[in-house]
Amino acid sequence: MYSGIGDRDGGNHEGGHRDGTAEDRPRDATAAFVDARALIGCRHRLHLNAAHPEMLTGVTEDAGVRQRREAASAHRTQVRDALIAADPDNWLVIDPTLRARERSEATLRACAAGTHHIWGGLLPQEPDTGRRGGSEILLRDLDRGGYIPVIVVNHKVTDPRQPEPADFHPTTSDLYHWDPQPDPHRKLRQQPRDQQRLAHLYRMLQRHGLASPALVGGVIGYHFDRILVHDLAPLLTDYDLRYADRIAVVRGESPTVPSKVPECRQCPWWSRGVAGEEGTGGASCEGWLIDHRDVSLVAPGSRADVLRGHGVQTIDDLAAWVGDDPEDWQHGPFDEAVVTARAWLAGAPLVRKVDKVWVRRADVEVDVDLESFQEFGAYLWGTLLDGSYRPFVTWDPLPTDDEGRSFGEFWSWLMAVRAEAAAAGKTFAAYCYSRTAEDKWLYESARRFAGRPGVPTVDQVRSFVDGPQWVDMFQAVSDQFICPNGKGLKKIAPVAGFAWRDPEAGGEASMSWYRRAVGYENDPDLSQRIRLLEYNEDDVRATMVLREWMDPREPGPHSADAEVPALADFGRRSIAT
């Protein structure tokens, strides 16, 4: 039954399903459709996308979004080929070159025939409910009948865990033989987008009498090691409410206004207005939020939702708060939220929470910053010692074994510097900014390249990162400053006087530079390698400048203590005083 596999992936992608070309879609202008992507994320963006699709024509896709989409497509292809190769007689692949209606008809025929495994199934659009979507895998429930949706995603859905007594073990199944069992070797990563998509697919299968009575769905994640099995029964009520809200937004039945959320960073509507748009007067989201002094500018995401529940709509409302803290506030000290609003109104980029800013200093100080490419690996470990920048890098396209060589050289050098300092009776410290990424790739590299020259054991990595010599400057900033404009290095280091050479410097942009630097599509572009090295060097120098500004060797006028207002300047008192 193995048929129709080509280079295309049939339009499946993270969070939803692309449903063919414009000619496949209903001609009824009043018809509105929602796939699972719309269930998580900004309601106002969903409205603008549905109401003004012509405004997005010619908009350049964000480089980071494009790279993640391409990586997800490559991952699905890898999963598809491996699964089908193991049992080619029991798979049917829906031809991805067919029109959407033909693909959905082929999917229903395959289900009616009782096909064991269907890849790339597309379910019929539902003009009345507005649902559309499809699943990478439809798995026949041989015990109960019907089909179980299994989606393939390019993010982690579980983490390894040493078996131990626990109140909850996630359920997983073998990749090639459906046999769900509690798995003590893994801990669950919460991914609401996956759960919402599976609930969406269940409702679509249910409409045609094709849903398995088992009421479960599966996810194959980045590691492609097991199928994570979700119980869908507890999810359906929330899904139904969420879906009803989102389809009402798309149909123009539920009004929306901007609110700042994490996805604003990559959204074209952040800086793009729509003339005559009801509710915003044609302003971009950013412009509307600033004009209305909306509270989400200083309390984005769910923080703003909590505050609005207490009648706080504007930054001024939050700044003027008096009385007890909201009982449902679960986002750190509420005093800091109030001070953040007052600092924003005063134009203060930082506020000191301490009388004297302090950073752990040492006789020998090394700054460290890594560059990675998606989940493929870490290709560059940049270091700064005594003002001298030294990179440890591989330009072989990731994934590559040469990554182990560059990592081993980096670790050996760092440990040699530490040992030399100890031998000379000097103190040592290594600094990074937001250690999450560095810690992740230190552990991952130690596991993947175990036994290679210079590569540490996992225990050696743990001993170092858990010790006092590994200093996270992000934590030092978080502990001692309130940051109305954000805590990223690109936000904080300029306050200390640092500027990046490249105006486009940033993590998302560096992904695009890297693809060109190693020649994923064309010949390697050596100029992009220089660009990446300069960007990495600027990051470690920014970390050094920030440290020197926060805790200088010699007190002076250019320091955080001297330049940043204190918490007492914005304490709980009326704006009038």
Side-chain angles (χ1 to χ4, degrees):
M1 301 178 89
Y2 173 40
S3 63
I5 290 185
D7 292 334
R8 297 172 60 185
D9 67 353
N12 288 314
H13 57 96
E14 297 252 295
H17 197 95
R18 188 172 58 248
D19 210 6
T21 61
E23 64 182 6
D24 296 317
R25 298 177 187 137
R27 295 183 182 277
D28 180 2
T30 64
F33 291 92
V34 169
D35 58 27
R37 286 172 299 174
L39 299 172
I40 300 290
C42 177
R43 296 173 73 254
H44 190 59
R45 181 177 187 173
L46 179 62
H47 158 68
L48 292 174
N49 286 350
H52 306 285
E54 74 286 350
M55 292 287 294
L56 298 176
T57 302
V59 173
T60 302
E61 184 178 33
D62 179 85
V65 172
R66 182 180 68 254
Q67 287 151 16
R68 286 190 291 273
R69 177 172 51 78
E70 292 170 350
S73 175
H75 177 61
R76 288 192 300 272
T77 299
Q78 175 194 5
V79 171
R80 177 197 65 188
D81 292 350
L83 293 177
I84 293 175
D87 188 18
D89 293 336
N90 283 310
W91 280 89
L92 184 140
V93 178
I94 304 301
D95 186 350
T97 64
L98 297 175
R99 293 170 58 129
R101 178 169 300 187
E102 295 170 329
R103 287 161 57 203
S104 62
E105 290 171 350
T107 300
L108 293 183
R109 286 196 301 270
C111 291
T115 306
H116 284 193
H117 304 90
I118 302 168
W119 180 275
L122 183 65
L123 296 167
Q125 291 185 345
E126 303 175 8
D128 54 341
T129 69
R131 289 189 182 93
R132 64 180 180 189
S135 183
E136 281 78 30
I137 300 169
L138 291 175
L139 176 67
R140 180 74 176 174
D141 187 339
L142 300 178
D143 296 325
R144 304 171 184 82
Y147 282 85
I148 296 167
V150 179
I151 61 177
V152 180
V153 300
N154 197 39
H155 52 255
K156 294 180 180 179
V157 296
T158 62
D159 288 311
R161 172 170 63 186
Q162 294 295 326
E164 59 186 22
D167 294 332
F168 170 79
H169 293 298
T171 299
T172 70
S173 171
D174 181 79
L175 291 165
Y176 304 98
H177 174 65
W178 181 256
D179 182 28
Q181 299 289 339
D183 190 341
H185 296 278
R186 287 169 176 79
K187 55 186 177 181
L188 181 67
R189 279 197 175 205
Q190 293 293 341
Q191 299 285 2
R193 50 185 164 168
D194 298 344
Q195 296 172 315
Q196 290 292 328
R197 184 181 173 198
L198 289 172
H200 186 81
L201 292 170
Y202 174 82
R203 287 295 191 218
M204 296 191 74
L205 288 166
Q206 188 181 41
R207 181 184 180 101
H208 296 278
L210 294 172
S212 162
L215 252 177
V216 295
V219 186
I220 297 175
Y222 172 77
H223 285 307
F224 186 28
D225 51 358
R226 300 282 292 177
I227 302 175
L228 174 64
V229 182
H230 286 290
D231 180 3
L232 302 184
L235 306 176
L236 292 176
T237 298
D238 175 68
Y239 163 79
D240 291 338
L241 292 172
R242 185 181 294 266
Y243 184 81
D245 171 70
R246 297 305 169 109
I247 192 63
V249 168
V250 169
R251 289 172 173 168
E253 299 166 356
S254 180
T256 66
V257 293
S259 185
K260 189 175 182 182
V261 292
E263 69 184 273
C264 292
R265 292 191 298 266
Q266 299 165 345
C267 179
W269 301 110
W270 179 250
S271 57
R272 180 181 295 247
V274 180
E277 169 64 22
E278 185 177 353
T280 61
S284 67
C285 288
E286 181 184 27
W288 188 92
L289 291 169
I290 292 173
D291 288 346
H292 287 74
R293 301 161 80 92
D294 189 82
V295 71
S296 67
L297 287 172
V298 296
S302 59
R303 293 171 173 81
D305 294 336
V306 173
L307 291 169
R308 291 182 185 120
H310 293 273
V312 176
Q313 302 292 333
T314 68
I315 299 174
D316 305 78
D317 292 339
L318 179 56
W321 182 281
V322 293
D324 296 334
D325 299 351
E327 292 184 359
D328 53 348
W329 182 260
Q330 299 178 352
H331 303 282
F334 188 68
D335 275 354
E336 293 188 9
V338 175
V339 170
T340 300
R342 295 178 177 180
W344 188 93
L345 293 174
L350 295 175
V351 178
R352 276 187 295 119
K353 295 192 285 186
V354 296
D355 292 334
K356 180 170 176 54
V357 177
W358 176 86
V359 177
R360 180 181 294 277
R361 301 300 302 264
D363 300 323
V364 178
E365 298 181 332
V366 177
D367 293 284
V368 177
D369 183 69
L370 73 83
E371 306 297 338
S372 61
F373 183 66
Q374 297 174 3
E375 294 292 333
F376 295 150
Y379 64 89
L380 170 59
W381 294 85
T383 66
L384 189 72
L385 173 62
D386 295 331
S388 178
Y389 172 70
R390 180 171 180 174
F392 298 87
V393 62
T394 175
W395 294 118
D396 289 353
L398 294 173
T400 172
D401 283 344
D402 193 49
E403 181 193 349
R405 187 265 318 155
S406 62
F407 173 68
E409 291 178 358
F410 157 72
W411 181 266
S412 297
W413 176 86
L414 185 65
M415 292 300 102
V417 172
R418 183 172 74 158
E420 290 170 5
K426 297 180 178 180
T427 57
F428 169 87
Y431 302 83
C432 64
Y433 198 87
S434 189
R435 60 183 283 180
T436 303
E438 276 76 13
D439 284 8
K440 168 188 173 180
W441 288 112
L442 284 169
Y443 280 117
E444 290 270 346
S445 302
R447 293 187 187 100
R448 291 163 58 219
F449 304 112
R452 304 284 181 87
V455 173
T457 65
V458 169
D459 286 343
Q460 287 172 324
V461 169
R462 182 177 296 110
S463 176
F464 176 67
V465 301
D466 288 349
Q469 293 178 330
W470 186 230
V471 182
D472 185 1
M473 290 298 299
F474 174 83
Q475 192 62 52
V477 167
S478 300
D479 290 344
Q480 300 179 89
F481 295 117
I482 293 173
C483 311
N485 300 315
K487 298 178 184 177
L489 186 60
K490 304 297 185 300
K491 297 287 188 181
I492 303 300
V495 182
F498 186 82
W500 275 258
R501 283 172 282 182
D502 195 318
E504 298 178 17
E508 295 288 357
S510 72
M511 298 287 183
S512 178
W513 304 344
Y514 176 76
R515 295 187 69 90
R516 297 198 295 270
V518 300
Y520 273 145
E521 288 88 16
N522 301 295
D523 292 337
D525 185 340
L526 301 186
S527 69
Q528 296 304 301
R529 297 184 181 183
I530 295 172
R531 194 178 195 182
L532 285 166
L533 290 171
E534 289 181 345
Y535 164 60
N536 181 259
E537 179 182 355
D538 281 354
D539 275 358
V540 289
R541 291 193 182 279
T543 307
M544 179 197 69
V545 167
L546 178 60
R547 177 174 66 257
E548 294 284 357
W549 178 73
M550 289 176 64
D551 194 353
R553 301 288 191 187
E554 299 293 336
H558 180 55
S559 68
D561 288 339
E563 297 176 351
V564 177
L567 191 63
D569 297 325
F570 298 97
R572 280 209 174 181
R573 49 199 173 122
S574 70
I575 295 298
T577 60

